[in-house]
Amino acid sequence: DAKTTQPPSMDCAEGRAANLPCNHSTISGNEYVYWYRQIHSQGPQYIIHGLKNNETNEMASLIITEDRKSSTLILPHATLRDTAVYYCIVRPRTLQGGSEKLVFGKGTKLTVNP
Amino acid sequence: GAGVSQSPSNKVTEKGKDVELRCDPISGHTALYWYRQSLGQGLEFLIYFQGNSAPDKSGLPSDRFSAERTGGSVSTLTIQRTQQEDSAVYLCASSLVGNTEAFFGQGTRLTVV
């Protein structure tokens, strides 16, 4: 079962910042927060991930609260091409550094309007 | 290629036939995942490979589903005696060992008629 809660849908105006919230109140200390998105008819695309510090890359910023129970993905200047379903996922890191499966919930359908 | 490659991109099969879906991961990626996505639904985990072994097969829905990986590279997902409820997009992803991002292919759209 997904360990995250996201709003089912959000709207954003083109050129404005899109702030997508995610609750993960049962997150444990060895679990990372990952964000993926899926544009219609395509495979999911990695956006960003973090453990406890805020992260920024060329696509987005990830803000994680101090208690790590929630996070926000920020798309600073949303474009029409950012319309997609956005998935927030918590993923454990194994002791051996191996990869664990990503458990996708229902995500947030973001619609960027012109 | 630079990304995860899946073949075929589309497959239509008759109910009761067996199908094989292929995934070519990114070179050097030791972790490989299979997911499926039914129309309008979320992604459902099927199986995870680390090298040639599958430490997590918990998502395979029945014994009609099996997967193998050879040489730590190509993986094949086999569905025997296909049923209409098997119709979905089957997605493959790969990643390096460790908490790195997984890269997904474009999927194989399976239609059982």
Short mmCIF file of all heavy atoms in Angstrom, two decimals, chain B residues 3-4 9-10 24 28-29 39 49-50 58 64 68 73 80 89 95 97 102 104-105 107-108 111-112:
data_model
loop_
_atom_site.label_atom_id
_atom_site.label_comp_id
_atom_site.label_asym_id
_atom_site.label_seq_id
_atom_site.Cartn_x
_atom_site.Cartn_y
_atom_site.Cartn_z
N GLY B 3 18.12 4.83 -23.32
CA GLY B 3 17.07 4.64 -22.35
C GLY B 3 16.66 3.19 -22.23
O GLY B 3 17.26 2.29 -22.82
N VAL B 4 15.61 2.96 -21.43
CA VAL B 4 15.05 1.62 -21.30
C VAL B 4 14.19 1.34 -22.54
O VAL B 4 13.35 2.16 -22.91
CB VAL B 4 14.19 1.51 -20.03
CG1 VAL B 4 13.54 0.14 -19.95
CG2 VAL B 4 15.04 1.80 -18.79
N SER B 9 5.96 -2.67 -28.79
CA SER B 9 5.28 -1.52 -28.20
C SER B 9 3.79 -1.80 -28.05
O SER B 9 3.14 -1.29 -27.14
CB SER B 9 5.51 -0.26 -29.03
OG SER B 9 5.13 -0.49 -30.38
N ASN B 10 3.28 -2.59 -28.95
CA ASN B 10 1.87 -3.00 -28.90
C ASN B 10 1.78 -4.48 -29.21
O ASN B 10 2.50 -4.98 -30.06
CB ASN B 10 1.03 -2.23 -29.92
CG ASN B 10 0.67 -0.85 -29.44
OD1 ASN B 10 -0.18 -0.68 -28.60
ND2 ASN B 10 1.37 0.13 -29.97
N ASP B 24 14.84 -4.15 -22.29
CA ASP B 24 16.28 -3.91 -22.35
C ASP B 24 16.60 -2.73 -21.43
O ASP B 24 16.28 -1.59 -21.76
CB ASP B 24 16.73 -3.55 -23.77
CG ASP B 24 17.14 -4.75 -24.56
OD1 ASP B 24 18.21 -5.30 -24.25
OD2 ASP B 24 16.40 -5.12 -25.47
N GLY B 28 24.44 -1.24 -17.59
CA GLY B 28 25.07 -1.03 -16.29
C GLY B 28 24.09 -0.97 -15.13
O GLY B 28 24.51 -1.00 -13.97
N HIS B 29 22.80 -0.88 -15.41
CA HIS B 29 21.81 -0.85 -14.35
C HIS B 29 21.55 -2.28 -13.87
O HIS B 29 21.15 -3.14 -14.64
CB HIS B 29 20.51 -0.23 -14.84
CG HIS B 29 20.54 1.25 -14.89
ND1 HIS B 29 19.41 2.02 -15.08
CD2 HIS B 29 21.57 2.12 -14.76
CE1 HIS B 29 19.75 3.30 -15.06
NE2 HIS B 29 21.05 3.39 -14.89
N LEU B 39 -6.09 0.48 -17.77
CA LEU B 39 -6.65 1.73 -18.27
C LEU B 39 -7.22 2.57 -17.14
O LEU B 39 -8.07 2.11 -16.37
CB LEU B 39 -7.73 1.42 -19.30
CG LEU B 39 -8.28 2.63 -20.05
CD1 LEU B 39 -7.19 3.29 -20.87
CD2 LEU B 39 -9.44 2.22 -20.95
N PHE B 49 14.08 -7.27 -9.96
CA PHE B 49 15.30 -8.04 -10.13
C PHE B 49 16.49 -7.24 -9.61
O PHE B 49 16.60 -6.04 -9.86
CB PHE B 49 15.56 -8.35 -11.61
CG PHE B 49 14.69 -9.43 -12.18
CD1 PHE B 49 13.50 -9.11 -12.81
CD2 PHE B 49 15.06 -10.76 -12.09
CE1 PHE B 49 12.70 -10.09 -13.35
CE2 PHE B 49 14.26 -11.75 -12.63
CZ PHE B 49 13.08 -11.42 -13.25
N GLN B 50 17.38 -7.94 -8.93
CA GLN B 50 18.69 -7.39 -8.61
C GLN B 50 19.69 -8.35 -9.27
O GLN B 50 19.86 -9.48 -8.82
CB GLN B 50 18.90 -7.32 -7.09
CG GLN B 50 20.23 -6.74 -6.68
CD GLN B 50 20.45 -5.34 -7.22
OE1 GLN B 50 19.57 -4.48 -7.16
NE2 GLN B 50 21.62 -5.11 -7.77
N SER B 58 6.49 -10.26 -5.21
CA SER B 58 5.22 -10.20 -4.50
C SER B 58 4.06 -9.67 -5.34
O SER B 58 2.90 -9.90 -5.01
CB SER B 58 5.38 -9.35 -3.23
OG SER B 58 5.74 -8.02 -3.58
N ARG B 64 0.33 -17.66 -13.64
CA ARG B 64 0.42 -17.54 -15.11
C ARG B 64 1.50 -16.52 -15.49
O ARG B 64 1.92 -16.49 -16.64
CB ARG B 64 -0.92 -17.09 -15.69
CG ARG B 64 -2.05 -18.09 -15.51
CD ARG B 64 -3.29 -17.67 -16.27
NE ARG B 64 -3.86 -16.40 -15.76
CZ ARG B 64 -3.77 -15.24 -16.39
NH1 ARG B 64 -3.12 -15.14 -17.54
NH2 ARG B 64 -4.32 -14.15 -15.87
N GLU B 68 12.02 -13.59 -16.11
CA GLU B 68 13.40 -13.98 -15.91
C GLU B 68 14.30 -12.87 -16.44
O GLU B 68 13.89 -12.03 -17.24
CB GLU B 68 13.71 -15.30 -16.60
CG GLU B 68 13.60 -15.27 -18.12
CD GLU B 68 14.04 -16.60 -18.74
OE1 GLU B 68 14.20 -17.59 -18.01
OE2 GLU B 68 14.22 -16.61 -19.96
N SER B 73 21.03 -8.39 -17.64
CA SER B 73 20.62 -7.36 -18.58
C SER B 73 19.16 -7.55 -18.98
O SER B 73 18.26 -7.22 -18.21
CB SER B 73 21.54 -7.36 -19.79
OG SER B 73 21.17 -6.33 -20.71
N GLN B 80 1.20 -16.63 -19.40
CA GLN B 80 0.65 -17.83 -20.01
C GLN B 80 -0.87 -17.78 -19.98
O GLN B 80 -1.47 -17.20 -19.07
CB GLN B 80 1.14 -19.07 -19.26
CG GLN B 80 2.64 -19.26 -19.34
CD GLN B 80 3.10 -20.48 -18.54
OE1 GLN B 80 2.77 -20.61 -17.36
NE2 GLN B 80 3.85 -21.36 -19.17
N VAL B 89 -1.00 -1.77 -19.90
CA VAL B 89 0.33 -1.37 -20.34
C VAL B 89 1.33 -1.94 -19.35
O VAL B 89 1.20 -1.72 -18.14
CB VAL B 89 0.47 0.16 -20.42
CG1 VAL B 89 1.90 0.54 -20.79
CG2 VAL B 89 -0.52 0.73 -21.44
N SER B 95 17.45 0.79 -12.69
CA SER B 95 18.21 1.77 -11.92
C SER B 95 19.53 1.16 -11.48
O SER B 95 19.71 -0.06 -11.47
CB SER B 95 17.42 2.25 -10.70
OG SER B 95 17.29 1.23 -9.73
N VAL B 97 22.30 0.31 -8.55
CA VAL B 97 22.16 -0.10 -7.16
C VAL B 97 22.20 1.13 -6.28
O VAL B 97 22.94 2.07 -6.54
CB VAL B 97 23.30 -1.06 -6.77
CG1 VAL B 97 23.26 -1.36 -5.28
CG2 VAL B 97 23.21 -2.33 -7.57
N ALA B 102 14.87 5.58 -10.85
CA ALA B 102 14.55 4.53 -11.80
C ALA B 102 14.07 5.18 -13.09
O ALA B 102 13.31 6.14 -13.06
CB ALA B 102 13.46 3.62 -11.23
N PHE B 104 12.10 4.66 -16.62
CA PHE B 104 11.06 3.81 -17.19
C PHE B 104 11.12 3.79 -18.71
O PHE B 104 11.48 4.79 -19.35
CB PHE B 104 9.67 4.31 -16.77
CG PHE B 104 9.29 3.94 -15.37
CD1 PHE B 104 9.77 4.66 -14.29
CD2 PHE B 104 8.44 2.88 -15.13
CE1 PHE B 104 9.42 4.32 -12.99
CE2 PHE B 104 8.08 2.53 -13.83
CZ PHE B 104 8.57 3.26 -12.77
N GLY B 105 10.74 2.64 -19.27
CA GLY B 105 10.53 2.56 -20.70
C GLY B 105 9.14 3.08 -21.05
O GLY B 105 8.39 3.52 -20.18
N GLY B 107 6.79 1.28 -22.34
CA GLY B 107 5.77 0.29 -22.07
C GLY B 107 5.36 -0.54 -23.27
O GLY B 107 5.61 -0.17 -24.43
N THR B 108 4.75 -1.67 -22.98
CA THR B 108 4.12 -2.51 -24.00
C THR B 108 2.63 -2.52 -23.71
O THR B 108 2.22 -2.90 -22.61
CB THR B 108 4.65 -3.96 -23.96
OG1 THR B 108 6.01 -3.98 -24.34
CG2 THR B 108 3.84 -4.86 -24.89
N THR B 111 -3.18 -6.11 -25.40
CA THR B 111 -4.63 -6.22 -25.52
C THR B 111 -4.98 -7.68 -25.76
O THR B 111 -4.49 -8.29 -26.72
CB THR B 111 -5.17 -5.37 -26.69
OG1 THR B 111 -4.77 -4.01 -26.51
CG2 THR B 111 -6.70 -5.45 -26.75
N VAL B 112 -5.80 -8.24 -24.88
CA VAL B 112 -6.23 -9.63 -25.01
C VAL B 112 -7.68 -9.63 -25.50
O VAL B 112 -8.56 -9.06 -24.86
CB VAL B 112 -6.11 -10.37 -23.67
CG1 VAL B 112 -6.52 -11.84 -23.85
CG2 VAL B 112 -4.70 -10.28 -23.12
#
